[in-house]
Amino acid sequence: MLSNFKNHIGKHVAISDEQFEAIVPYFEVLDVKKKAHLQNPGQAHLYNYFVLDGCLRMYTLHEKGQELTCDFALESWWICDQKAYIGKQESNCAIQAVENSRILRISRDQELLLLQEQAFIQSYFLQVYQKAYAAAQFRNKLFKLHSKEEIFIQFNNNFPDFVQRVPQYLIASYLGLTPEYLSEIRKKMFS
Amino acid sequence: MLSNFKNHIGKHVAISDEQFEAIVPYFEVLDVKKKAHLQNPGQAHLYNYFVLDGCLRMYTLHEKGQELTCDFALESWWICDQKAYIGKQESNCAIQAVENSRILRISRDQELLLLQEQAFIQSYFLQVYQKAYAAAQFRNKLFKLHSKEEIFIQFNNNFPDFVQRVPQYLIASYLGLTPEYLSEIRKKMFS
């Protein structure tokens, strides 16, 4: 299963078997059951998570107690509350398994050590963060330019597998819609 | 003025005068007048911009022709349409000077060459992108959790200098409010 991680790195930088073996000890492998929490709101000592298999989501609680999904991560995506993670602060976000998942995690201290001791990996992380920033900036623009209904239609056209795979109430929580309203939009789309 | 750039790099990685001189040729320095455009919608051959002095904004056009401000950059911030920049695609965003500004720009090709030929700078860019991603993720969360009115109040409390410096109609365009409604919120706040 770790081969997924090596392949992902290999898409960004050349990596030999020896180099991969040298970086593995900085990470921990975890198996998590569907709905289990990897991080709870108010937690310090955060980790950055890489999905080997499965799906994670990050959410925060609205003052009315409602869960608002901020991000999803499928295979080969990283997920964390970046501001709290790099600042070593408490996070007000939770990270939960959407499916039974196998993941890698790394603490900020281990990450800094890894970047220092295995400098070749800097280029991999730089490319990962450039893409993550691009995706976050694109999402910001999307939410500014379009209605939630339009965003769901785009979502559905661009990522049909994702929409099939993730429970509808979580997609509703990501778009800030009620599950009932999302269900109405779907009925209209497929009628 | 380039010393602003050297100082910014120096906050992230150790850099000698010789190392700084080696990276300067990858960049161009430009002076732009207030309201001048560095990038127009539909443009390919994009650049990443670093503000030495002044202020830039990035905006996109709503289908109704209205300008929506996506990002601002004050001194020591980078700004570009990241998805189009790294993918070397056309951007649907414009980048405009909010004030008379002095900026550095680098093309994607030059950036890739710089990262390859001056590997010490990778760590600087990695840290810049980690912070940029953190800020974009935080903004996404903010816009999901709070009303535009609440966001403006937070903005005003956290960045009073910024709110004083940037014209109100641009802050309105960033928050997706009409200038008239923002003016009403301000009146309420300061009454």
Side-chain angles (χ1 to χ4, degrees), chain B residues 105-166:
Chain B
R105 72 174 194 184
I106 188 166
S107 69
R108 178 65 169 160
D109 285 339
Q110 281 295 303
E111 184 201 294
L112 292 172
L113 213 59
L114 169 67
L115 292 167
Q116 190 188 323
E117 294 177 343
Q118 310 286 340
F120 79 94
I121 206 71
Q122 287 185 8
S123 173
Y124 165 71
F125 278 107
L126 174 56
Q127 292 173 66
V128 163
Y129 274 105
Q130 285 187 322
K131 286 182 195 170
Y133 174 53
Q137 197 187 46
F138 182 76
R139 273 203 301 274
N140 271 333
K141 206 162 64 180
L142 207 66
F143 275 91
K144 278 192 177 187
L145 275 175
H146 299 285
S147 70
K148 290 167 179 178
E149 188 168 340
E150 287 166 344
I151 294 169
F152 176 69
I153 294 168
Q154 279 202 31
F155 222 70
N156 198 66
N157 292 338
N158 295 336
F159 310 105
D161 297 344
F162 178 78
V163 173
Q164 282 303 316
R165 190 168 158 183
V166 171

Side-chain angles (χ1 to χ4, degrees), chain A residues 58-69:
Chain A
M58 184 159 73
Y59 69 87
T60 187
L61 293 173
H62 197 274
E63 54 195 14
K64 294 164 196 157
Q66 182 195 359
E67 289 178 7
L68 277 169
T69 300

Side-chain angles (χ1 to χ4, degrees), chain A residues 1 6 11 28 30 34 36 42-43 53-54 79-80 84-85 88-89 92 94 121 166 169-170 176 188 191:
Chain A
M1 190 71 82
K6 183 164 184 280
K11 284 180 189 164
E28 293 169 82
L30 293 180
K34 183 176 170 173
Q43 188 175 314
D53 186 50
I79 192 167
C80 74
Y85 174 73
K88 293 195 193 173
Q89 300 153 345
N92 61 3
I121 207 71
V166 171
Y169 76 95
L170 292 183
K188 259 198 276 176
S191 66

Side-chain angles (χ1 to χ4, degrees), chain A residues 80 82 137 140 144 174, chain B residues 69 80 82 137 140 144 174:
Chain A
C80 74
Q82 182 69 13
Q137 195 187 47
N140 272 334
K144 279 192 177 187
Y174 179 70
Chain B
T69 300
C80 74
Q82 183 68 12
Q137 197 187 46
N140 271 333
K144 278 192 177 187
Y174 179 70

Side-chain angles (χ1 to χ4, degrees), chain A residues 43-100:
Chain A
Q43 188 175 314
H45 307 292
L46 304 181
Y47 295 88
N48 198 359
Y49 299 95
F50 179 86
V51 181
L52 291 166
D53 186 50
C55 178
L56 304 179
R57 71 161 178 139
M58 184 159 73
Y59 69 87
T60 187
L61 293 173
H62 197 274
E63 54 195 14
K64 294 164 196 157
Q66 182 195 359
E67 289 178 7
L68 277 169
T69 300
C70 309
D71 271 311
F72 289 100
L74 293 171
E75 287 82 10
S76 298
W77 273 91
W78 288 91
I79 192 167
C80 74
D81 177 354
Q82 182 69 13
K83 191 165 177 283
Y85 174 73
I86 61 173
K88 293 195 193 173
Q89 300 153 345
E90 282 185 11
S91 169
N92 61 3
C93 293
I95 296 178
Q96 186 187 34
V98 175
E99 304 169 352
N100 292 339

Side-chain angles (χ1 to χ4, degrees), chain B residues 7-155:
Chain B
N7 291 341
H8 191 248
I9 297 173
K11 285 181 187 162
H12 297 83
V13 290
I15 182 166
S16 66
D17 288 344
E18 291 69 30
Q19 282 176 312
F20 186 65
E21 275 165 34
I23 67 161
V24 165
Y26 295 85
F27 298 89
E28 293 168 84
V29 185
L30 293 180
D31 287 302
V32 277
K33 290 279 178 205
K34 182 175 172 176
K35 298 207 171 176
H37 279 81
L38 289 157
Q39 180 181 305
N40 290 299
Q43 188 175 315
H45 307 291
L46 304 181
Y47 295 87
N48 198 358
Y49 299 96
F50 178 85
V51 180
L52 291 166
D53 186 50
C55 178
L56 303 180
R57 70 161 179 140
M58 185 161 70
Y59 69 87
T60 187
L61 293 172
H62 197 274
E63 52 195 15
K64 294 165 197 156
Q66 184 194 357
E67 289 177 8
L68 278 168
T69 300
C70 308
D71 271 311
F72 289 100
L74 292 173
E75 286 82 10
S76 299
W77 272 92
W78 287 91
I79 191 167
C80 74
D81 177 354
Q82 183 68 12
K83 190 166 178 281
Y85 174 73
I86 62 174
K88 293 196 194 174
Q89 299 152 347
E90 281 185 13
S91 168
N92 60 4
C93 293
I95 296 178
Q96 186 187 34
V98 176
E99 304 169 352
N100 291 338
S101 304
R102 173 163 281 190
I103 58 118
L104 286 181
R105 72 174 194 184
I106 188 166
S107 69
R108 178 65 169 160
D109 285 339
Q110 281 295 303
E111 184 201 294
L112 292 172
L113 213 59
L114 169 67
L115 292 167
Q116 190 188 323
E117 294 177 343
Q118 310 286 340
F120 79 94
I121 206 71
Q122 287 185 8
S123 173
Y124 165 71
F125 278 107
L126 174 56
Q127 292 173 66
V128 163
Y129 274 105
Q130 285 187 322
K131 286 182 195 170
Y133 174 53
Q137 197 187 46
F138 182 76
R139 273 203 301 274
N140 271 333
K141 206 162 64 180
L142 207 66
F143 275 91
K144 278 192 177 187
L145 275 175
H146 299 285
S147 70
K148 290 167 179 178
E149 188 168 340
E150 287 166 344
I151 294 169
F152 176 69
I153 294 168
Q154 279 202 31
F155 222 70

